[in-house]
Amino acid sequence: MQQPQRNPNPSHLTPVDKAPISQSEISDRIVLLRFLEYYRKTGRCQSLPHLTEIARLAHQRQLIPPKYARALLADLEEIKSSLTTLLARLSDLVLVFGEKIQNGQQPDAELRFELLDRLTQTVESVEGLAAIARNHPDAPEPGVKEGFASCYVDVQKQVNDLRYGMAYLQECLRPQSLKHRLAHCPNPDLQLTTLTTAIDDLYIIATRLIHRLRENIIRKVPQFWGRVDL
């Protein structure tokens, strides 16, 4: 008796291990084609500004795949978390260091090592943040080139402020330099306040820069526009 032929890949069955296509993983090309198809069918394009922006980003080769964008956003969150911990500890170490100097004690080797180690780690995190900023500057905005948008603060200025603040801390917080400053300062408390304020300012600048970079990255990923959960 002849056996009936079987279709090895029946169309009505889907393997259980086959993951559904996520909306967030749709390519930029498909997004453009869907906009174009809708426009041809209806003659309307309710998202024309979006389509214009996608075309501009594609022309400038600035579109970012969702997977890569998520990796960048994760890196920013990691840097933010790292800087929060490092700068808080750095501020505590400076105060402990200053207290010992004011009491006529010599900071022990363990305190010196930790201060230098936290300072080095902070520099590495700041440099990592600056590296991301170099690749994701602000989009051109009206008035910037003309010179009448003087209140506009761009990524480049924030990076410069971040590096200036970090350079100041590197100069002041190295154990030998900090010891010399506090030992020869007529008002050590004022010097300590200045240093801890500089640490706080660095954290504020870094936080603002991370927020701005997050916006700049999302702007280059049409699949993320309008999404709250990334």
Side-chain angles (χ1 to χ4, degrees), residues 208-219:
R208 290 176 177 173
L209 177 58
I210 289 172
H211 178 72
R212 188 69 182 229
L213 290 175
R214 180 180 172 85
E215 292 180 342
N216 287 355
I217 291 170
I218 293 175
R219 178 178 56 84

Side-chain angles (χ1 to χ4, degrees), residues 92-154:
D92 291 340
L93 290 172
V94 169
L95 293 178
V96 172
F97 200 102
E99 183 179 356
K100 287 185 175 295
I101 295 296
Q102 288 177 303
N103 292 334
Q105 302 175 0
Q106 290 296 325
D108 53 57
E110 183 178 353
L111 177 60
R112 289 168 175 264
F113 175 79
E114 186 177 1
L115 178 62
L116 186 59
D117 183 54
R118 292 294 182 270
L119 184 62
T120 302
Q121 292 180 45
T122 303
V123 172
E124 292 174 353
S125 293
V126 167
E127 287 301 319
L129 184 57
I132 296 176
R134 280 197 300 269
N135 295 324
H136 302 284
D138 292 314
E141 292 195 13
V144 176
K145 291 184 178 180
E146 292 82 353
F148 57 80
S150 57
C151 61
Y152 180 73
V153 179
D154 61 358

Side-chain angles (χ1 to χ4, degrees), residues 34-149:
R34 286 184 178 179
F35 271 114
L36 182 60
E37 182 181 1
Y38 175 80
Y39 178 75
R40 285 175 175 173
K41 287 182 178 180
T42 65
R44 301 188 305 273
C45 188
Q46 298 176 355
S47 301
L48 185 58
H50 286 179
L51 181 60
T52 303
E53 178 65 7
I54 293 173
R56 186 186 71 81
L57 291 170
H59 177 70
Q60 296 180 353
R61 297 184 178 180
Q62 292 186 358
L63 290 173
I64 301 177
K67 183 177 181 180
Y68 179 58
R70 287 194 186 91
L72 285 173
L73 295 175
D75 288 344
L76 288 176
E77 287 302 313
E78 184 178 351
I79 291 174
K80 181 179 179 180
S81 177
S82 176
L83 283 176
T84 300
T85 303
L86 286 171
L87 293 175
R89 183 56 182 162
L90 202 59
S91 184
D92 291 340
L93 290 172
V94 169
L95 293 178
V96 172
F97 200 102
E99 183 179 356
K100 287 185 175 295
I101 295 296
Q102 288 177 303
N103 292 334
Q105 302 175 0
Q106 290 296 325
D108 53 57
E110 183 178 353
L111 177 60
R112 289 168 175 264
F113 175 79
E114 186 177 1
L115 178 62
L116 186 59
D117 183 54
R118 292 294 182 270
L119 184 62
T120 302
Q121 292 180 45
T122 303
V123 172
E124 292 174 353
S125 293
V126 167
E127 287 301 319
L129 184 57
I132 296 176
R134 280 197 300 269
N135 295 324
H136 302 284
D138 292 314
E141 292 195 13
V144 176
K145 291 184 178 180
E146 292 82 353
F148 57 80

Side-chain angles (χ1 to χ4, degrees), residues 98 101-103 168 172 176-195:
I101 295 296
Q102 288 177 303
N103 292 334
Y168 173 75
C172 298
Q176 192 62 31
S177 175
L178 182 59
K179 176 184 175 182
H180 179 79
R181 282 175 177 272
L182 296 177
H184 296 82
C185 178
N187 193 341
D189 288 334
L190 180 60
Q191 184 70 22
L192 288 173
T193 300
T194 301
L195 292 172

